[in-house]
Every structure is written in C-alpha cells, then in structure tokens.
Amino acid sequence: MLQKALVLVLVAASIAGCIGCGTTASHYVYTTIPAANQVIAYREDPNSGVLTQIAGSPYTVGDGARSAVLHPSGKFLYVANPGQLEDDISLFTIAANGALTEVTPRTSVGTNASQPELLAMDPAGAYLYTMNTQSNNISVFSIDSASGALTQLPNSPFAVGLPLLNMQLTPSGNFLYVTTAGASDGFIVGFSVSAGVLTSIGPPSSSGGINPNGLAIDPSGTYLYAANTSSNTISIFGIGLAGAPPGMLFQVAGSPLATTYTAPVSLILDPKGAFLYVANQGSSNVAVYSISSSTGLPAVLTTSASTGAFFTEGSPSFLAADPSGKYLFVGNQGSSAGIESFGVSSGNLTSLFTYSVGSTPSSIAVLQ
C-alpha cells in the first residue's frame, strides 16, 4: 500500500545552540516510525544538514504512529496514532535541546476505528485537524496555548463521505482541502474554515486523475497541486480566481500535466513557491519543476539532472523541507527504508546523507 502521509512543516521559534561559524540556531527533526510505534528525534546542523540523534531518542508513542505536526510556538509536537487499540493523538512537550516528553493521557479522536492518519494545524496554532481514514471524516480540536491540551469542537467530526487520501490548509488557514479516492477518478473536497468549524464550499471537484495522494498549496494560497498517483499526472488548480467564490477550485489551462515518471505520491513546494518537488515512488526519484508565477504551471527544471529528476536511495514515499529552504528530506521505503537529505540550491538537489531508521518512516516535522 502506498504511503500517503504527507508531512506538514511549520516554522517555529529558533532555539539557541552553538555550532561555530555560520548560523547558531539549532534545528530539530522528528520522524514517525509506524511499525515500531516510535518518534525519532534529531538535531539538525543548519550549516551542513547533518542529523544527530538526540539522547533518549527514539521515543515510544501510540500504536501505528503515522503523522507528526509541530505547534508554531515550538513548544509542542502532536502525533496521530491510527492503530486499532489507539485512535488517539499524542502530545509531547519540546525541551530547549529538542528532547520530547509525552503528556498523558492521550486524546481520543472520539469514535472507534476512526484511524487518524494525518494531522494539520492552522498558522496561529489555535486548531488541530485530524483526517480519519476509516470513518471518512475530519476531527477538529482547539489547542490550549499554555499547555497544548486538545479539546474537540462540539460539532466535530465533520463528514466528508468519501475515502480520504490527504488534506492541507491554505497558508491563511481560511480553507481546508481534502483529496479523496474514487472508482475511476479522484476528487478534491473544499471547506471554508471559521474558528475551526468546517463548512463545505460546494460539490467535490474532480482531481483530474486517479488516487490524488500528493497535495500541496503555494505560499500565497493561489494555486493547489495534486499528484494523481495512478494516472502519473499532476493537476493544477487556481484557488478563488478573480470573480469566483472564495475558495472555489478551477483547473488551470494545461492541467493535468503528464509526467514521464511513475506513481507520483508526494508533493512539496519550496518556501518561496518557486520550485515544486515530486516524489515518484515507482521511479525511485524526486522530480524538480520550476513554477510560473503567472500561471502556476510547473515546467521541468532544465538545470537539474539530465532527466529532470534526482534518484533516491529507495522508493520515496514523502517529502519534507527545512523552513530555511536549504535542505530537503526524503522518506524512503523498501529495502533502503530511512531518511535521505538533499542540499538545495536554485531548485537543484545535491544528495548529502542517508539515515537508517530500522523501518519505513511515515512523516517528518522540522523545528527551526
């Protein structure tokens, strides 16, 4: 089964650390390992991208730990536990050295067999959204800014009614988009967001392909990108174009974009929205596209590798970026399961290091 987790990377408060020359701000990287029910924590050297495992790591978490997301304050880490004996969310406090301490008891999603697979958080850190793949709905929790404690909203969960694949908030936090599977086509369901409450924007939009596992929104909130894994295409939508209702999706001219690679499963944009990175699970590579600022259309980056893609050490299942834009992290599955780091320069990638984690990682969150 294709890994569908899509990591959510949030900029958080810098934590002082001595590195010598260059920047002196330590970064921390957290990755979930579902098979081991663990979170592994690393210190990232922001001048080299080298990851060093933190003493006391890995940390035990709930059954099937799938998705991790950071609070923008840098004080809390949340992990979704979709295992049948769990259906809950773990809260960890983060120490100055990046170490984690779990706060118990864990927060139940509510209904049995919900399977919370993916987490997303609004930019203010006021609400946490949980995608429940078994019950096909979204649970929403308010977040206590002092303790990090979660309280489920009265009308939560909010029904979607289709098999869920992915979700993402716009940078403003005003809209939430959910990709879903269909018999012959995928769909994208849009919600407007007010104080955490979800209201359907309108009928689902066709994703333009089958199994839209990958989902990304540019930093301006103008374009949405969907990777249709079973169609080997990338669809591009304008969000609330001039004269259209806010949040409505319209597929742009030239979309979907056919790729020369197989099984695109994860997407991520660089912090400026100038480059799109696509993890192609079937081709074991990461393709790089430059983005037109006027149309949102991606084009193969001609200065990248001759094929327009960079091969990975394994079968890539998800992507995560350092908020500085200097490094890209790839989660690989298969015989080379682990984390691979790339340096980033003008969109181009340079393979740096690989880290074995003993099993397939499912998400990465980076604290800057």
Side-chain angles (χ1 to χ4, degrees):
M1 177 177 178
L2 291 176
Q3 295 288 339
K4 295 179 292 196
L6 177 71
V7 65
L8 297 171
V9 180
L10 300 173
V11 179
S14 294
I15 302 176
C18 181
I19 305 172
C21 59
T23 180
T24 58
S26 294
H27 298 182
Y28 297 99
V29 175
Y30 303 95
T31 185
T32 48
I33 313 296
N37 302 329
Q38 292 177 338
V39 175
I40 302 178
Y42 299 91
R43 176 189 170 276
E44 177 205 320
D45 184 332
N47 297 302
S48 67
V50 171
L51 301 182
T52 302
Q53 193 164 329
I54 293 174
S57 170
Y59 302 94
T60 299
V61 71
D63 186 22
R66 177 68 62 176
S67 174
V69 67
L70 288 158
H71 193 271
S73 68
K75 298 189 298 183
F76 311 116
L77 176 78
Y78 299 88
V79 178
N81 306 307
Q84 292 185 354
L85 301 178
E86 293 283 342
D87 278 335
D88 56 24
I89 302 169
S90 293
L91 163 64
F92 291 87
T93 57
I94 304 175
N97 65 353
L100 301 178
T101 300
E102 186 172 9
V103 178
T104 56
R106 296 165 183 156
T107 301
S108 173
V109 171
T111 59
N112 292 330
S114 295
Q115 291 189 5
E117 296 264 353
L118 183 63
L119 301 177
M121 190 178 297
D122 71 307
Y127 298 97
L128 181 70
Y129 301 82
T130 304
M131 186 182 82
N132 305 311
T133 57
Q134 183 66 34
S135 50
N136 294 330
N137 54 27
I138 307 294
S139 298
V140 185
F141 299 84
S142 62
I143 302 172
D144 184 290
S145 60
S147 67
L150 301 175
T151 301
Q152 190 158 190
L153 298 190
N155 294 326
S156 173
F158 298 89
V160 178
L162 293 168
L164 308 184
L165 298 177
N166 207 334
M167 70 173 177
Q168 185 146 2
L169 284 159
T170 55
S172 67
N174 293 334
F175 300 100
L176 176 74
Y177 296 96
V178 181
T179 59
T180 71
S184 59
D185 197 6
F187 296 94
I188 303 174
V189 181
F191 296 91
S192 62
V193 182
S194 177
V197 175
L198 304 182
T199 302
S200 176
I201 295 173
S205 301
S206 169
S207 72
I210 305 173
N211 291 328
N213 287 298
L215 183 62
I217 298 172
D218 78 315
S220 69
T222 304
Y223 296 104
L224 178 148
Y225 301 84
N228 301 302
T229 305
S230 299
S231 302
N232 301 324
T233 59
I234 300 169
S235 296
I236 307 97
F237 295 84
I239 302 174
L241 298 178
M248 289 292 291
L249 297 180
F250 296 88
Q251 197 158 184
V252 305
S255 172
L257 177 72
T259 73
T260 58
Y261 312 112
T262 58
V265 69
S266 179
L267 302 174
I268 195 168
L269 288 139
D270 76 311
K272 295 182 179 179
F275 301 100
L276 177 71
Y277 300 93
V278 182
N280 298 294
Q281 198 166 72
S283 299
S284 294
N285 64 22
V286 177
V288 186
Y289 299 84
S290 59
I291 301 295
S292 168
S293 59
S294 59
T295 66
L297 285 171
V300 172
L301 184 62
T302 55
T303 58
S304 66
S306 59
T307 60
F310 296 82
F311 285 92
T312 65
E313 294 294 328
S315 180
S317 56
F318 69 92
L319 304 172
D322 185 290
S324 69
K326 293 175 60 177
Y327 305 107
L328 182 75
F329 299 102
V330 179
N332 287 317
Q333 61 178 7
S335 60
S336 298
I339 300 170
E340 185 173 2
S341 64
F342 289 85
V344 180
S345 178
S346 300
N348 292 286
L349 302 178
T350 301
S351 182
L352 298 176
F353 309 101
T354 57
Y355 303 89
S356 175
V357 296
S359 185
T360 298
S362 59
S363 72
I364 292 177
V366 184
L367 177 64
Q368 178 176 310

